[in-house]
Amino acid sequence: SLIGIILYFVTSSDSGSLVIDIMSANGDQDPPIPQRVFWALVEGATATALLVAGGADSVYALQTASVAAGLPYTIILCFVCIATWRALAMECGDLDPYGPDFAVSLVDPFCTVQPKLWLSFLKNIFFGPVTLYEVLKQHKQKPMFSAVAAALCWVLWIALIVAEIVHIHNPDVKLAGIYSLAWVFYLGFVTLVTVARGTIRNHYGINGNTIEDFFAALFLYPGVLMQMETVSGKGGIAPLMPDQGAPPTDPLLFVGLNGAAETLA
């Protein structure tokens, strides 16, 4: 165990000092070795000072801080992986960049000034099962089971979360750990929304997969319901790359220096 810890610390410190060294050398990919040794010694001295000043408890504090700081990046990396996969699929021709996509993005209520989207997002926070029923009914699916199951899961999720809060403030109420069951019902609700989004995507030929649908519903289910609610309306479908326009059908067509379309002679 000690050897493993030493190897882990040495390799982590080596890579960290290399990154810092490159940054301090204005991006030079081959920075001076003495400068790299200096940063490695500074990192070691900093870690030693923290351990000596904080004692044994500082180790646990550093571990907790590392996990807490790394958790948001885990979520970001999930989206980065999906974006990288889509970019490679477009490059290889497996994904049509001008194919259909949801006109409303999941984050549009946060980054655009559209009160209609704000109201739709807020409504779906509390009345998501109603929206689910209306969307499935509009697309001639069987909405009753999904809507009732989603409503039951959503209500039980909220109720059990409230029960856990009551237990925290009143320990006499024997409901310790009930929050874990609440998140089971939330996952059930998310699963129903995931299935509905996949059905809508397939109906309109929108690119995506079940994993994307699940994580979108898991982290932002009001936005997912908002997308499904607006997709059948006017302007609900847009190209995946709307700023690029339609691709040229003639391979010899190009844009000249004056900005007009020209053809090679």
Side-chain angles (χ1 to χ4, degrees):
S1 299
L2 182 60
I3 295 175
I5 293 174
I6 292 174
L7 291 175
Y8 173 77
F9 179 79
V10 169
T11 53
S12 300
S13 177
D14 180 67
S15 58
S17 60
L18 176 61
V19 172
I20 297 174
D21 193 15
I22 292 175
M23 294 173 62
S24 61
N26 294 324
D28 186 4
Q29 297 296 320
D30 189 18
I33 294 180
Q35 184 174 298
R36 184 173 176 181
V37 173
F38 166 78
W39 285 115
L41 293 175
V42 169
E43 289 177 2
T46 303
T48 303
L50 290 174
L51 291 174
V52 172
D57 295 336
S58 62
V59 177
Y60 301 105
L62 288 174
Q63 290 176 346
T64 304
S66 300
V67 173
L71 182 60
Y73 289 99
T74 303
I75 300 174
I76 294 173
L77 284 175
C78 292
F79 290 103
V80 170
C81 291
I82 294 174
T84 303
W85 171 79
R86 284 199 171 189
L88 293 174
M90 290 180 187
E91 186 70 21
C92 296
D94 296 334
L95 176 61
D96 182 11
Y98 306 98
D101 194 16
F102 291 105
V104 177
S105 173
L106 292 173
V107 297
D108 276 353
F110 306 101
C111 57
T112 59
V113 182
Q114 300 187 49
K116 186 177 180 180
L117 292 183
W118 299 345
L119 294 176
S120 177
F121 190 90
L122 291 174
K123 181 195 72 172
N124 289 320
I125 292 177
F126 303 102
F127 300 101
V130 177
T131 301
L132 188 65
Y133 174 83
E134 294 175 349
V135 169
L136 292 177
K137 183 179 179 180
Q138 185 179 10
H139 291 83
K140 298 180 180 180
Q141 302 297 320
K142 296 180 178 179
M144 187 57 67
F145 172 78
S146 297
V148 172
L152 183 62
C153 290
W154 190 89
V155 170
L156 288 174
W157 169 51
I158 297 297
L160 293 176
I161 290 293
V162 172
E164 179 67 23
I165 295 174
V166 171
H167 167 72
I168 293 174
H169 291 85
N170 188 6
D172 294 335
V173 180
K174 305 301 181 181
L175 293 174
I178 198 68
Y179 68 91
S180 58
L181 187 59
W183 291 109
V184 171
F185 284 109
Y186 178 72
L187 289 177
F189 172 74
V190 167
T191 301
L192 293 168
V193 176
T194 299
V195 174
R197 190 175 194 261
T199 302
I200 300 301
R201 277 196 308 97
N202 293 331
H203 179 79
Y204 291 99
I206 297 174
N207 179 71
N209 55 66
T210 305
I211 297 177
E212 292 182 20
D213 295 337
F214 177 78
F215 280 104
L218 180 66
F219 295 114
L220 214 60
Y221 77 84
V224 172
L225 293 169
M226 179 187 63
Q227 282 185 328
M228 295 191 295
E229 188 178 22
T230 58
V231 70
S232 60
K234 184 179 180 181
I237 298 292
L240 188 59
M241 297 176 63
D243 294 335
Q244 302 296 325
T249 55
D250 189 347
L252 300 181
L253 185 68
F254 72 103
V255 178
L257 295 177
N258 59 355
E262 302 175 359
T263 54
L264 293 176

